[in-house]
Amino acid sequence: MSQPREIAPGATYLITRRVLRRHLLLRPDAALTQFLVYALAVSTHRFGIEVHALCAMSTHLHLVVTDVQGVLPRFLQFFHRIVALGTKVLRTWEGPVWDHEPTSVVRLLTRAAVVEKIAYVLANPVAAGLVRHAHQWPGAKSDVSELGGGVLRAARPSVYLDPENRQWPEEVTLSLALPPAIEQDNAEGFRREVAAELERQEAQAHAGLQRQGPRFLGTKGASTVSPYSRATSFEALRDRNPTFAVGRNQGDAWRIAGAAVRAFRASYRAALERWRAGVRSAVFPAGTWWMRIYHGASVADVVLMT
């Protein structure tokens, strides 16, 4: 059983979802890219999610988002379902699209963490040896220059979505918002921070790839590879599933955040034990999702993690 997770309105996250057995089903061709952008725009509008950065790799999706209303599980359920069903039609694919591992949800607690994870998302195609620079990736993505001001647009795809259904408009737009901690008058400084971190991560990736000796696949190769093949590069099995990030060299922030997570889980477990014993007046900690939504449990007003 997975550990309970606090769902707090206004929290910013790095979201990662992987394709089953590293198949290249999300290959960045025009039809798949259109579907992804459209599905993301509709899903974020529906649940009030703000998107800061994204990169759709052939084997997985990365998003950096802020959950304004505290409904992240419902957004992820809706968005991932639509993407999976559309992908099955576009690829004539039988069986599941997503890996059986749960979606990775990492809460970004500091400005440093937001900068590093946005750069990480954008640098992903470079780190994978697909393109030399992040802006060359042909799939659904955001660029540094678009942070807090870019707009992605997509017409309704001709597959799967019923044009008679009002929830699927003819065209949608997706505005890329600044993270909540960044003031508009500091937007350019924030973009410079991300650009510098992206440059650092690209240089790090180039150095690692240089030692291995492979050539970059390139935009054409990435767009035309068979979506039914599988990635062959080495990928270590996940030995841990982080729930938060504070950035490099943030020891004090890491200790404070770790203590808050442990306090939330301890409070949750104590309330759950009382609930299982039949005490329906048990109060769960603020940020409790499943028990509040599906069982009507009472939740404290005070947020444990800031």
Side-chain angles (χ1 to χ4, degrees), residues 4-8 70 264 267-268 271 283-293 297-300 304:
R5 180 187 302 278
E6 179 189 2
I7 300 297
F264 173 82
S267 179
Y268 184 98
V283 178
F284 286 77
T288 295
W289 170 264
W290 185 268
M291 292 300 297
R292 175 173 64 87
I293 297 298
S298 299
V299 174
L304 296 177

Side-chain angles (χ1 to χ4, degrees), residues 18-19 52 67 75 78 116 128 139 167 184 224 231 242:
R18 298 183 181 278
V19 173
H52 311 304
D67 178 18
F75 160 72
F78 182 85
E116 290 176 20
Q167 72 174 322
Q184 189 61 47
T224 57

Side-chain angles (χ1 to χ4, degrees), residues 269-290:
R269 285 193 296 269
L272 185 60
E273 288 179 7
R274 297 189 68 207
W275 182 275
R276 286 172 171 170
V279 182
R280 291 299 181 257
S281 60
V283 178
F284 286 77
T288 295
W289 170 264
W290 185 268

Side-chain angles (χ1 to χ4, degrees), residues 235-269:
E235 184 178 64
L237 294 176
R238 240 184 294 172
D239 58 356
R240 61 193 181 111
N241 185 22
T243 59
F244 66 86
V246 296
R248 299 189 308 276
N249 305 318
Q250 303 285 325
D252 289 342
W254 190 90
R255 284 188 290 273
I256 292 170
V261 169
R262 290 190 293 273
F264 173 82
R265 290 175 178 175
S267 179
Y268 184 98
R269 285 193 296 269

Side-chain angles (χ1 to χ4, degrees), residues 18 22 24 55 57-60 62 120-133 137 201-202 204-206 208-209 212 214-218 222 231-235:
R18 298 183 181 278
R22 304 185 73 201
L24 306 178
C55 183
M57 300 287 285
S58 297
T59 61
H60 59 281
H62 283 308
Y120 165 79
V121 167
L122 304 186
N124 232 234
V126 183
L130 300 174
V131 292
R132 183 170 294 277
H133 297 289
W137 180 243
Q201 292 192 27
E202 285 187 338
Q204 188 176 58
H206 291 164
L209 293 167
Q212 299 172 20
R215 297 172 56 188
F216 289 97
L217 183 61
T232 57
S233 58
F234 173 78
E235 184 178 64

